Amino acid sequence: MGKKNKKCYSGIGGQAVMEGIMMRNKNRYSIAVRKPDQSIEIQTGDCKQTTTVWSKIPFVRGVYNFIDSLTIGIKAMSYSAEFYAEGDEETAFDRFLIKIFGAKAEKVIVGMTVAFGLLLAVALFFVLPWFLSALLERFISNASLIAILEGVIRLTIFIVYVLSISLMKDIRRVFMYHGAEHKCINCIENGKSLNVKNIMKSSRMHKRCGTSFLLIVMVISIVLFFFIRVDTAWMRLLLRLALVPVIAGISYEILRLAGKFDNWFINLISAPGVALQLLTTREPDEQMVEVAIKSIEAVFDWKKYLSENFEYDPSEEGWLDEDDADEDEFETVAPMNVAEEKADDTEEENTFESIEPVKETITIEPESESAGADVDAGDDEGDNDVDANDSFDDGDDDADDSSDDGDDDDETSVEELNRLLDGFTGRIDLGDYR
């Protein structure tokens, strides 16, 4: 069974929502949410807007697809929030919209939310930097320097904004699901079968991430505003607002190229956006990965994709589990058995043989990062890791008991050993390696 050593573009996109993930493939999308009772609710729908001519014209499609993705994303976020809403009471504003627009009230609310989000983004990342740079004109007369400072202010505001929201507790949970979304897509595009083990080993960074898109927008705006200039302040503001769709269109095409090609140049221009994802993604737990799997399987036949792009043969028995074979063999190592077989050896041998199993146990533990988020994974594999650690501790106790017995039999040897160790700065103690 052959497999190409490559990475294939899948065309899948996604977004993290409250306790869930939205996945999108061509004209279909799905939303999978982990409900409070721990069951997974899945909703699917059509993206009819993708069939229009505007979604196929280069540079124009960037603006259109951005607004379309923002609309679907807000719908997905609202859907997931319904499962965790503390009250069902309608506000006076909701009743007003329902009275005016009837069944279309939900679409009106989503449209208003999209419009408000776009206005807020333009005001924060375009108008505010322009205003602050205009204040600097009183002290700096060089137009080129003013343009550079405006770009620096814009980039600083963006990074501070991302850093600020990453510190919020609820947003950290969303960022963990964001990491699960990236891991799931990376697993498929690297030719791995879609299971929890393979996904957990995949990278949580992806070149087609929305974080990278926003950073590209910031950089492109700096370049365009540096070379396209007007004299008066109000004309500069008008120019910046008029160029927002152009900037979005160019940024979309760059992001699209980054997702389809993998070479040194693409990786170089993608590196800043990928680095920024260290703030907007977190390592997920296995329950979050399970939600990602449900979401992607609802709109994407990943088995067919692997067969067509990585030369897998679905008719060959066991091909889906081949990536887990080595890991399963690795997990069969039992530190308890090692400790029991060496219990009668010298103290130095027990010490150094105890160090190696500790390293093995750490590398197979999947829940180390998610523990800080107060998440109860509730899976069998995590329990096995704990059992392995407990067994190893028992082995250490046996080894220590064996060493104590040797001390009682030969106290003179211990005293001589202590005199030899007095010349060293410290002693080797098994407790230091736990």
Side-chain angles (χ1 to χ4, degrees):
M1 173 172 53
K3 180 172 67 173
K4 297 178 181 179
N5 185 19
K6 63 177 182 179
K7 182 174 181 178
C8 288
Y9 173 76
S10 64
I12 310 171
Q15 174 186 317
V17 297
M18 185 178 293
E19 295 300 324
I21 292 175
M22 183 273 291
M23 287 289 188
R24 180 174 176 175
N25 178 36
K26 297 180 181 179
N27 62 339
R28 293 281 294 171
Y29 74 89
S30 67
I31 310 169
V33 179
R34 176 79 69 177
K35 297 167 61 177
D37 62 2
Q38 299 305 306
S39 63
I40 300 177
E41 183 80 11
I42 302 175
Q43 183 189 72
T44 59
D46 295 326
C47 309
K48 297 181 181 179
Q49 296 89 340
T50 58
T51 60
T52 63
V53 65
W54 300 107
S55 62
K56 298 177 175 60
I57 302 175
F59 298 102
V60 176
R61 63 189 175 190
V63 181
Y64 190 87
N65 289 336
F66 173 72
I67 296 176
D68 185 42
S69 298
L70 186 61
T71 302
I72 295 176
I74 291 175
K75 289 181 180 178
M77 186 65 74
S78 300
Y79 173 78
S80 64
E82 292 177 358
F83 296 101
Y84 293 87
E86 296 181 357
D88 296 327
E89 296 183 0
E90 293 181 348
T91 64
F93 183 69
D94 292 335
R95 290 193 294 270
F96 170 77
L97 291 178
I98 293 174
K99 182 178 179 180
I100 298 298
F101 299 101
K104 296 182 178 180
E106 183 179 355
K107 293 183 178 180
V108 173
I109 294 175
V110 172
M112 294 174 60
T113 306
V114 171
F116 176 76
L118 291 174
L119 289 175
L120 181 62
V122 171
L124 185 61
F125 300 124
F126 289 92
V127 178
L128 181 59
W130 163 83
F131 176 76
L132 295 177
S133 64
L135 295 178
L136 296 177
E137 291 182 359
R138 301 176 183 179
F139 312 98
I140 302 173
S141 59
N142 190 306
S144 298
L145 182 57
I146 290 294
I148 294 174
L149 290 177
E150 181 186 350
V152 172
I153 293 172
R154 181 178 298 108
L155 199 57
T156 302
I157 292 175
F158 174 67
I159 294 176
V160 170
Y161 169 79
V162 172
L163 182 61
S164 299
I165 64 174
S166 67
L167 299 177
M168 300 171 62
K169 183 178 180 180
D170 292 338
I171 297 299
R172 285 200 299 267
R173 291 281 299 173
V174 175
F175 284 175
M176 291 174 72
Y177 276 100
H178 190 194
E181 174 220 331
H182 283 189
K183 280 176 171 283
C184 196
I185 297 175
N186 277 324
C187 179
I188 294 174
E189 292 185 343
N190 283 283
K192 305 295 183 181
S193 57
L194 198 64
N195 57 56
V196 173
K197 291 182 180 179
N198 287 341
I199 294 173
M200 291 297 289
K201 292 186 293 183
S202 300
S203 172
R204 76 174 199 261
M205 314 299 176
H206 199 284
K207 291 186 292 186
R208 286 189 288 112
C209 176
T211 304
S212 298
F213 172 78
L214 293 177
L215 183 59
I216 293 173
V217 167
M218 299 297 114
V219 175
I220 295 298
S221 66
I222 293 174
V223 175
L224 288 184
F225 296 158
F226 181 82
F227 290 103
I228 303 176
R229 304 179 190 175
V230 291
D231 294 332
T232 59
W234 69 271
M235 282 295 294
R236 284 201 298 272
L237 176 60
L238 184 61
L239 178 67
R240 276 144 182 74
L241 297 178
L243 287 179
V244 168
V246 178
I247 295 170
I250 296 174
S251 302
Y252 177 83
E253 297 302 325
I254 294 176
L255 193 72
R256 186 180 176 90
L257 290 175
K260 286 193 171 183
F261 299 97
D262 189 16
N263 53 59
W264 69 269
F265 179 73
I266 292 296
N267 293 335
L268 180 63
I269 63 177
S270 302
V274 172
L276 191 61
Q277 292 173 38
L278 292 172
L279 296 178
T280 60
T281 63
R282 294 286 186 271
E283 284 294 331
D285 59 33
E286 294 187 356
Q287 283 191 327
M288 295 176 176
V289 168
E290 291 172 357
V291 175
I293 293 175
K294 294 293 184 180
S295 180
I296 202 169
E297 286 183 336
V299 293
F300 186 73
D301 188 351
W302 59 270
K303 296 179 182 178
K304 179 180 178 182
Y305 169 82
L306 293 184
S307 299
E308 294 176 349
N309 295 278
F310 293 91
E311 299 180 357
Y312 282 119
D313 184 6
S315 63
E316 190 169 337
E317 184 178 359
W319 70 275
L320 291 178
D321 300 323
E322 68 171 5
D323 293 319
D324 301 330
D326 295 338
E327 187 171 344
D328 291 338
E329 294 177 1
F330 178 78
E331 290 180 350
T332 58
V333 178
M336 178 65 181
N337 295 336
V338 175
E340 289 178 349
E341 292 176 2
K342 299 297 181 179
D344 297 330
D345 293 342
T346 62
E347 180 178 355
E348 180 178 353
E349 291 173 343
N350 284 331
T351 300
F352 286 98
E353 289 191 7
S354 301
I355 298 172
E356 184 175 359
V358 170
K359 293 180 180 179
E360 293 178 352
T361 304
I362 291 174
T363 56
I364 64 175
E365 183 176 346
E367 300 180 5
S368 57
E369 292 189 29
S370 61
D374 299 331
V375 180
D376 184 9
D379 59 287
D380 295 336
E381 293 180 8
D383 295 339
N384 292 337
D385 291 338
V386 174
D387 294 340
N389 290 332
D390 293 340
S391 299
F392 180 70
D393 291 339
D394 294 338
D396 289 341
D397 294 337
D398 294 341
D400 293 340
D401 293 340
S402 177
S403 300
D404 292 341
D405 294 341
D407 292 342
D408 295 336
D409 294 339
D410 193 0
E411 297 179 357
T412 304
S413 299
V414 174
E415 293 176 357
E416 292 177 357
L417 180 60
N418 288 335
R419 284 196 298 270
L420 291 174
L421 292 174
D422 287 339
F424 293 92
T425 57
R427 298 183 179 182
I428 298 175
D429 187 3
L430 180 62
D432 294 337
Y433 297 92
R434 290 180 180 175

